[in-house]
Amino acid sequence: MTQSADNKRPDSGVSDDSINMLLRFAVMMLRSGGTAIRTRELVGAMAHRLNLETPSVSLTLESVTLSVYHGSEQFVAMREVGPPGIDFRRIGELERLANALEPTAPPHRIAKELAEIEARAPQYTGWQMAIAIGLASGGFAFLNGAALPGMASAAIGGGIGQGLRWWLTRRQLTHFGTAALAAITAAGTYVLVAALARRAGFAFSHYAAGFISTILFLIPGVSLIAGLFDLLQHQTVAALSRLAYGALILFIVASGLSIVVTVAAIELLPRSAPAELAYPLRLSLRAVASFVAGCGFAMLFNSTPLSLVVAGIVALAANSVRLVLIDMGMLLAPAAFIAALLIGIIAILVSRRLDAELMAIVTAPVVIMIPGLYVFEMLVLLNRGQTLEAMQASGAGIFVISALAMGLSVARLAVPWEN
């Protein structure tokens, strides 16, 4: 026998409030960027707190469907998720709520706690995030081989692009329109600043690397990594919808980038050689750039200050290991796998000792390793009809992103995810 949550029998023992709390909890997890597999696990823990049997959960990027059994009866309820976002502080608070020591709790009390979590304002202002992303963009430019003028231009372009994205998001423009306008603004700003710098006598090495680094903050890294991770965990429907969303954002950002490439007549290939530095100095500067980029993305994901610093330190350590392995001759994908495995294990262990969000410590360091330079080169070159060059760039991008997801999956198997 199947009934809806709004049409239950009074003696069924399953309250509308309990099912609504489960739905609201699952929606908040997905809307904040939580993976489907983790959302499913926490919904089971929350059901236990509400004195319900473990429900059957169907998750997509757009909706949540719950089937709760009580004896011979089944109660089905569904709710739309709404626009996706990323809020790791909220995910951490929801995890703590689901894993609270108190075994059971009345629905009205959980409803109050969920309302308080949902009502909390972001921790960082728009200008703070713009500065953080500007610094992260400059760090990306250095990691990709740009010299100081390219780093400065990328920082200015990235900061202005993020500021525009924040302003448009607050006015509820669609994610796709926001991404396109932010990409055009960030890349266009880089071109203008670089032109002024050249007139002032500054020479640019690795111009294309700095140019593309300006818009790397627009890569939907959480959607891509979470989608691949869910796919490896057999959460196929949620994974495919998340991957489709991430791919569409990538194509839209690349289209905006292509407009600037065409108007400014920028040549992405061949790549010029990066600036020569003494190896110890290069390692030190890479470490600083990795830390800054990791902290910048953690701030963008609304992580707590503690999680922000921890994410930066993990990014510094793991990305430094990855780059050293590449310097020693290892291919990009195996080096990415080892770095992601290291991130996953360290993040799980550290989150147990500190009151820090696991998702922030894991995701921010991984996102900075996504080979955005190759991804956007591939899309822009395809748009220009340079198929062979695009295929060469796509190989590195696809294999590295897959290796990152696999590294996190192996870490999850090696060390239990639960806090």
Side-chain angles (χ1 to χ4, degrees):
M1 180 178 181
T2 302
Q3 297 184 358
S4 70
D6 297 325
N7 193 31
K8 69 178 185 62
R9 291 192 303 198
D11 60 348
S12 65
V14 178
S15 72
D16 291 344
D17 289 342
S18 297
I19 295 180
N20 285 332
M21 287 309 99
L22 281 182
L23 277 174
R24 185 176 183 183
F25 179 88
V27 165
M28 289 174 65
M29 276 291 296
L30 289 179
R31 193 183 294 165
S32 301
T35 61
I37 184 64
R38 187 60 175 155
T39 300
R40 187 183 299 273
E41 293 169 350
L42 291 175
V43 166
M46 182 62 74
H48 178 70
R49 293 202 68 200
L50 291 168
N51 231 0
L52 298 175
E53 295 183 19
T54 301
S56 174
V57 187
S58 176
L59 303 172
T60 70
L61 196 62
E62 297 178 346
S63 65
V64 175
T65 304
L66 295 178
S67 298
V68 181
Y69 289 88
H70 184 78
S72 61
E73 296 178 320
Q74 180 187 16
F75 301 87
V76 180
M78 184 183 76
R79 180 175 292 183
E80 292 184 356
V81 173
I86 304 172
D87 190 334
F88 288 158
R89 181 187 65 175
R90 178 175 294 176
I91 291 177
E93 292 173 341
L94 292 173
E95 288 186 342
R96 286 188 284 272
L97 176 62
N99 295 322
L101 294 178
E102 184 182 358
T104 59
H108 68 84
R109 177 177 168 185
I110 293 180
K112 180 181 178 181
E113 294 186 47
L114 288 177
E116 291 174 353
I117 292 173
E118 196 168 24
R120 290 193 181 99
Q123 299 182 100
Y124 309 105
T125 63
W127 67 265
Q128 287 176 323
M129 288 189 287
I131 292 174
I133 291 302
L135 294 174
S137 298
F140 280 132
F142 176 77
L143 292 173
N144 289 324
L148 186 59
M151 292 169 57
S153 300
I156 295 171
I160 292 176
Q162 169 57 28
L164 176 67
R165 181 169 71 162
W166 175 81
W167 186 81
L168 293 174
T169 300
R170 291 194 63 185
R171 278 144 189 83
Q172 299 183 339
L173 187 67
T174 65
H175 288 187
F176 306 111
T178 298
L181 292 175
I184 293 172
T185 301
T189 300
Y190 178 91
V191 172
L192 292 175
V193 173
L196 293 174
R198 281 176 165 172
R199 281 184 170 274
F202 292 98
F204 278 72
S205 64
H206 227 17
Y207 182 94
F211 173 72
I212 294 182
S213 297
T214 308
I215 50 90
L216 291 184
F217 71 95
L218 293 169
I219 288 182
V222 174
S223 294
L224 296 176
I225 294 296
L228 285 171
F229 186 80
D230 279 337
L231 197 61
L232 293 172
Q233 299 293 326
H234 309 292
Q235 307 297 311
T236 308
V237 175
L240 292 179
S241 58
R242 200 185 291 264
L243 288 172
Y245 170 82
L248 185 56
I249 289 288
L250 276 179
F251 278 110
I252 288 173
V253 172
S255 298
L257 190 68
S258 296
I259 293 173
V260 180
V261 168
T262 302
V263 172
I266 296 172
E267 290 297 329
L268 299 180
L269 296 175
R271 301 189 188 97
S272 56
E276 290 293 333
L277 295 172
Y279 194 65
L281 176 60
R282 185 188 305 173
L283 289 179
S284 301
L285 293 178
R286 281 174 174 176
V288 173
S290 300
F291 177 82
V292 170
C295 289
F297 272 101
M299 181 180 288
L300 187 63
F301 300 154
N302 198 39
S303 306
T304 62
L306 175 61
S307 299
L308 186 151
V309 174
V310 174
I313 294 172
V314 174
L316 181 156
N319 201 38
S320 295
V321 169
R322 181 181 71 92
L323 294 172
V324 168
L325 291 175
I326 293 172
D327 291 340
M328 294 171 62
M330 184 176 287
L331 296 176
L332 295 178
F337 173 84
I338 293 172
L341 177 62
L342 184 63
I343 289 171
I345 293 175
I346 292 175
I348 294 171
L349 296 176
V350 168
S351 67
R352 291 176 176 175
R353 300 291 299 272
L354 303 174
D355 186 21
E357 294 92 355
L358 177 59
M359 285 291 290
I361 304 174
V362 169
T363 309
V366 169
V367 167
I368 73 169
M369 298 181 191
I370 292 177
L373 183 65
Y374 294 100
V375 172
F376 284 120
E377 275 186 0
M378 172 193 72
L379 296 174
V380 171
L381 291 171
L382 276 176
N383 189 48
R384 298 176 66 178
Q386 296 175 256
T387 308
L388 181 59
E389 293 86 348
M391 291 178 63
Q392 292 173 342
S394 68
I398 293 172
F399 281 111
V400 169
I401 293 174
S402 300
L404 290 172
M406 290 178 64
L408 292 180
S409 296
V410 173
R412 193 175 191 273
L413 292 174
V415 184
W417 190 272
E418 289 77 8
N419 291 317

